[in-house]
Amino acid sequence: MADWGRRIGAGVRAGAAAAGGGGGPPVFIGLRGPLGAGKSVLARAVARGAGVEAPMPSPTFNLVFRYSLPDGGSVVHADLYRVRSVEELAGLGWDDLLADGFVALVEWPERAERELPEDRWEIELEIPDEPGVRTAKARRIGAPVPAELPGFPAAE
Ligand SMILES: Nc1ncnc2c1ncn2[C@@H]1O[C@H](COP(=O)(O)OP(=O)(O)OP(=O)(O)O)[C@@H](O)[C@H]1O
Ligand SMILES: [Mg+2]
């Protein structure tokens, strides 16, 4: 899972480089799944693949952490579990997270269902009963950037 996440992150930044350094259209990846499913672990792996080297604490209490990339782009790691209103979301700088050059990795996107960008990826993590097994389903919604995720070509 960590390796897959790093490949996603690297692919995302390669796309940004093609679009001209730290710019490029915003990338939004929603991470769904029950408590402890591995959303934070996957988000960190994507961020590492995108070039984040700083320590990445859990956004459980701060809700949003932003990391600047050397190329001028930013990675944002958010956890919306505790968000209760649209006003709260705005207070977190929600609109800024959807700007060019941003890679947004958002846990518990269902807390902001109606505020999610039309074009996005959603990754759903599950912990099946089988010991040692984790599953991930990726779903493309609208016309997100990137258009493909490693291991999830064109198909939904
Ligand atoms: N792919 C994985 N394989 C094995 N263990 C994992 C995997 N992903 C996460 N874990 C373990 O599961 C625990 C919870 O992971 P994580 O914090 O990423 O969950 P989460 O989905 O972000 O939870 P929350 O909803 O509380 O934010 C951690 O102890 C982590 O080490
Ligand atoms: Mg988490």
Side-chain angles (χ1 to χ4, degrees), residues 35-41 44 58-60 77-79 107-108:
L35 285 169
K39 301 180 290 297
S40 293
V41 166
R44 281 193 193 95
S58 169
T60 304
H77 181 196
D79 182 336
E107 300 182 46
W108 295 99

Side-chain angles (χ1 to χ4, degrees), residues 12-30:
V12 162
R13 282 332 282 174
V27 174
F28 188 98
I29 302 178

Side-chain angles (χ1 to χ4, degrees), residues 43-112:
R44 281 193 193 95
V46 174
R48 295 277 177 242
V52 174
E53 289 176 4
M56 294 187 65
S58 169
T60 304
F61 297 105
N62 279 41
L63 306 192
V64 177
F65 284 114
R66 176 179 168 178
Y67 305 92
S68 296
L69 297 172
D71 65 9
S74 293
V75 171
V76 165
H77 181 196
D79 182 336
L80 305 184
Y81 187 71
R82 288 181 170 73
V83 170
R84 292 286 174 262
S85 67
V86 173
E87 289 72 26
E88 243 180 274
L89 205 57
L92 296 175
W94 182 251
D95 290 341
D96 297 342
L97 309 189
L98 311 176
D100 281 358
F102 274 70
V103 177
L105 308 169
V106 178
E107 300 182 46
W108 295 99
E110 49 270 70
R111 294 288 191 267

